[in-house]
Amino acid sequence: MESFYAHFPELRDGGADEVEQDAAQFGIALPPPARRDLPVLPENWDTVMAFTAVQTQWRHDPSGHPTGLDYAACRAAVAAMGLVWKKVFPGLRVMEAETLEAIQSR
């Protein structure tokens, strides 16, 4: 299994986030950070990278809630990354559905 940080080690310990510094100055307790070293199976790596690359391509309903990814924009982003759309699209749909479910369960 691979880790995101195996490919981008410079991002592993980027130092204290400005938000953390500001919160500390005002005495605000932040929740612990999410794990950032989750393993990714090699066969899923391209899909995970594609999903992270298209995070600005969500469509929203009039009240601002995300309804799904804009597949045309995602396809362009995936092509620009040099990935094969037919290979990553099924996984993108799974990740999209799970993300929407997590958002709706809040």
Side-chain angles (χ1 to χ4, degrees):
M1 293 202 274
E2 295 185 65
S3 167
F4 174 82
Y5 293 102
H7 293 277
F8 302 100
E10 68 278 8
L11 299 178
R12 179 177 296 279
D13 296 312
D17 189 303
E18 189 175 314
V19 172
E20 292 171 355
Q21 293 171 352
D22 291 346
Q25 286 180 347
F26 289 99
I28 299 170
L30 295 175
R35 277 187 62 192
R36 298 182 76 173
D37 61 343
L38 298 173
V40 176
L41 294 171
E43 60 267 23
N44 295 329
W45 184 255
D46 286 348
T47 299
V48 171
M49 291 295 95
F51 187 72
T52 59
V54 300
Q55 288 308 295
T56 58
Q57 304 308 321
W58 286 93
R59 292 193 177 241
H60 297 82
D61 66 19
S63 62
H65 297 98
T67 59
L69 290 168
D70 177 343
Y71 293 149
C74 290
R75 189 173 189 151
V78 166
M81 295 174 71
L83 299 176
V84 178
W85 176 250
K86 288 183 179 182
K87 179 181 174 192
V88 299
F89 182 58
L92 280 178
R93 292 193 64 205
V94 170
M95 295 181 79
E96 171 192 38
E98 292 297 321
T99 300
L100 289 170
E101 185 177 320
I103 290 169
Q104 292 167 359
S105 69
R106 289 191 210 168

